[in-house]
C-alpha cells in the first residue's frame, strides 16, 4: 500500500468559520459498494436537513456556547462572496461529541473521501467543480476552539492507496480542521453560491465525534489569512460519525434556490426546500445558548 504523509508546521487558524467538506453521493455509494436504494433516496432529505437549523444529530464538546455554529448550520443570508473575491475552499471540522465519555481508543482515526466543492455562476446558474479530493490534497491541524487565534497542533493526513485520506481523531480539548491545499478559482463577481460535500467515517466504533462541512471565500487563490482576505460562507449541521460512511453537505444561500437548481451530484434527485422528517434531529439537550428547534 502506498501511503504519503504530509507534515504541517504549527500555524494559525486559517479560516473565518469552522465548517466541513463533502463527496459525490453517486460516486461515494458506488465506491463503497452500496446498492441500497433507500440510502440513495435519503440523500435528497439529508442535504436539506443538514442545512436547516435544529437538525444537528449531536453537538460538539469544547466550543464557545455563544458561537453561531455551536448548534449547527450557520450562514449569512447572501450566499455569494464579496465582489472582489476570486477563490473558495471547502472545509471540514470534527469535534469530540458533547456529553460522551472519552473514547476507549484514543488512537482512533477518521477516513475522508470524495470531497468536492462547486460554485454557481451568477450569469448562467451553472454549477462548476472547482475542488476535487482526487486531484487536491487534504491537510489540516488541531485547533483549540475556545481560543480562535491559538497555535495549532500538527494533524497527520495520510493518503491511502484508494485515494481516501486518513486523519487523526481530535485530541482532548481540540478539533480536527481540514481543507484542500489548492483553493478553487473563479472570476471576481461571477459566482453567487458554493456547495461542498464529503464522505467521512471513523475507524473505531468507540469513537464519539461529530463533524460538519462548510466553505470560506478568499480574496485570491494565494491570499494570506486575514480579516480582509477571507469570509465564511457558512457551515452545515453536526453529523455524528460512525464506522459507516456518512455524506456531509453544505450549500450557501437559500434552500429554495438550491432545491430549484441543485449541483450535478444531486441533479437527478428530487429536492424539497423543506426537511421532510425530524428523524435525524438530536434527542439530547444542546450545550449552546442559542437554542434552535426543528421547523
Amino acid at each position: 500500500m502506498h501511503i504519503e504523509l504530509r507534515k504541517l508546521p504549527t500555524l494559525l487558524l486559517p479560516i473565518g468559520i469552522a465548517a466541513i467538506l463533502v463527496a459525490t453521493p453517486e460516486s461515494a455509494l458506488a465506491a463503497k459498494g452500496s446498492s441500497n436504494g433507500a440510502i440513495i433516496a435519503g440523500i435528497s432529505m439529508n442535504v436539506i436537513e443538514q442545512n436547516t437549523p435544529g437538525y444537528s444529530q449531536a453537538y460538539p464538546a469544547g466550543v464557545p456556547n455563544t458561537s453561531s455554529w455551536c448548534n449547527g448550520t450557520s450562514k449569512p443570508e447572501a450566499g455569494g462572496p464579496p465582489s472582489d473575491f476570486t477563490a473558495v475552499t471547502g472545509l471540514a471540522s470534527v469535534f469530540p461529541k458533547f456529553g460522551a465519555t472519552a473514547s476507549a481508543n484514543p488512537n482512533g482515526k477518521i477516513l475522508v473521501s470524495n470531497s468536492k466543492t462547486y460554485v454557481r455562476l451568477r450569469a448562467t446558474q451553472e454549477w462548476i467543480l472547482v475542488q476535487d479530493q482526487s486531484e487536491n490534497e487534504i491537510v489540516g491541524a488541531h485547533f483549540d476552539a475556545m481560543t480562535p487565534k491559538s497555535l495549532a497542533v500538527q494533524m497527520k493526513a495520510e493518503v491511502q492507496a484508494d485515494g481516501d485520506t486518513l486523519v487523526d481523531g481530535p485530541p482532548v480539548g481540540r478539533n480536527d480542521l481540514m481543507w484542500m491545499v489548492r483553493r478553487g478559482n473563479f472570476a471576481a463577481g461571477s459566482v453567487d453560491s458554493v456547495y461542498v460535500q464529503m464522505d467521512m467515517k471513523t475507524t473505531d466504533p468507540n469513537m464519539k465525534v461529530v463533524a460538519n462541512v462548510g466553505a470560506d471565500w478568499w480574496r485570491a487563490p494565494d491570499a494570506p489569512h486575514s480579516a480582509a482576505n477571507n469570509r465564511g460562507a457558512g457551515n452545515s449541521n453536526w453529523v455524528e460519525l460512525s464506522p459507516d460512511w456518512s455524506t456531509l453537505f453544505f450549500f450557501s444561500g437559500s434552500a429554495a434556490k438550491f432545491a430549484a437548481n441543485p449541483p450535478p451530484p444531486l441533479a437527478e434527485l428530487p429536492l424539497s426546500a423543506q426537511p421532510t422528517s425530524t428523524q435525524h434531529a438530536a434527542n439530547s439537550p444542546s450545550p449552546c445558548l442559542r437554542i434552535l428547534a426543528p421547523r
Side-chain angles (χ1 to χ4, degrees), residues 64 72 159 236:
V159 180
S236 66

Side-chain angles (χ1 to χ4, degrees), residues 16-36:
I17 296 180
I20 285 194
L21 292 171
V22 295
T24 301
E26 299 97 323
S27 63
L29 291 173
K32 307 312 169 191
S34 173
S35 59
N36 190 333

